[in-house]
């Protein structure tokens, strides 16, 4: 996991003062890391209520200002215009939904699991400046929202 965190941090710009949405946040490990790196606002969402409950308990135990919500990716509401969205994806079906949560010029960082290739889907959903960072647990794509 530490290696994946390093790959994600490599794909991300300086987080100081930025708003970050983490889709598939699990137990809150990455939201806490990003808040610690200076992100101004961090929201974590996951479909698993048990994992969100664990993340919320950690936030209650050691508050750092992260909010957590339970949402299925297929029904993810627009939760604001974030500077950065990090998402763990096993399909390119919801790239448009993720784009809706980004400010213009915002950065999507997507971890593609199960050998998924996202480049075509990213282009089809208005992303440019696509960069691929290889990682054994899932390739990490970063792409800028331009439309």
């Amino acid at each position: 996991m530490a290696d994946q965190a390093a790959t994600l941090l490599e794909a991300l710009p300086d987080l100081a003062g930025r708003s970050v949405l983490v889709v598939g946040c699990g137990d809150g490990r990455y939201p806490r890391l990003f808040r610690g790196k200076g992100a101004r606002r961090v929201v974590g969402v996951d479909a698993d209520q048990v994992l969100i409950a664990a993340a919320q308990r950690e936030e209650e135990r050691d508050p750092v200002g992260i909010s957590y919500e339970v949402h299925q990716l297929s029904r993810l509401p627009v939760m604001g215009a974030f500077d950065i969205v990090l998402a763990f994806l096993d399909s390119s079906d919801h790239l448009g939904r993720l784009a809706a949560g980004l400010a213009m010029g915002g950065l999507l960082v997507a971890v593609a699991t199960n050998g998924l290739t996202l480049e075509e889907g990213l282009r089809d959903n208005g992303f440019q400046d696509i960069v691929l960072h290889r990682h054994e647990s899932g390739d990490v794509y970063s792409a800028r929202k331009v439309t």
Side-chain angles (χ1 to χ4, degrees):
M1 187 67 77
D3 289 336
Q4 186 179 50
T7 302
L8 288 173
L9 289 172
E10 180 182 304
L12 290 166
D14 179 13
L15 296 175
R18 298 182 189 248
S19 58
V20 182
L21 173 65
V22 182
V23 179
C25 72
D27 64 2
R29 177 174 301 138
Y30 289 123
R32 292 184 77 76
L33 173 65
F34 299 156
R35 188 75 167 110
K37 295 285 185 182
R40 167 183 50 81
R41 175 178 176 231
V42 180
V43 177
V45 300
D46 201 290
D48 188 322
Q49 293 178 341
V50 172
L51 290 174
I52 289 295
Q56 288 171 327
R57 280 192 303 277
E58 181 63 19
E59 178 64 23
E60 289 168 8
R61 186 188 69 71
D62 181 20
V64 294
I66 301 169
S67 61
Y68 294 98
E69 298 184 24
V70 176
H71 292 290
Q72 298 283 337
L73 178 55
S74 62
R75 296 186 180 142
L76 183 68
V78 176
M79 301 174 69
F82 289 85
D83 299 315
I84 299 167
V85 172
L86 167 66
F88 294 84
L89 302 174
D90 59 7
S91 163
S92 62
D93 294 346
H94 304 292
L95 289 170
R97 188 172 296 280
L98 295 171
L102 274 169
M104 189 58 61
L107 186 70
L108 171 65
V109 176
V111 178
T113 60
N114 301 324
L116 179 65
T117 301
L118 291 176
E119 192 162 345
E120 183 178 341
L122 288 165
R123 288 191 200 294
D124 290 348
N125 283 280
F127 289 96
Q128 291 182 357
D129 304 328
I130 300 167
V131 178
L132 172 61
H133 306 263
R134 297 268 182 204
H135 191 273
E136 67 268 2
S137 65
D139 289 341
V140 177
Y141 290 83
S142 59
R144 189 125 347 250
K145 178 182 176 178
V146 293
T147 60

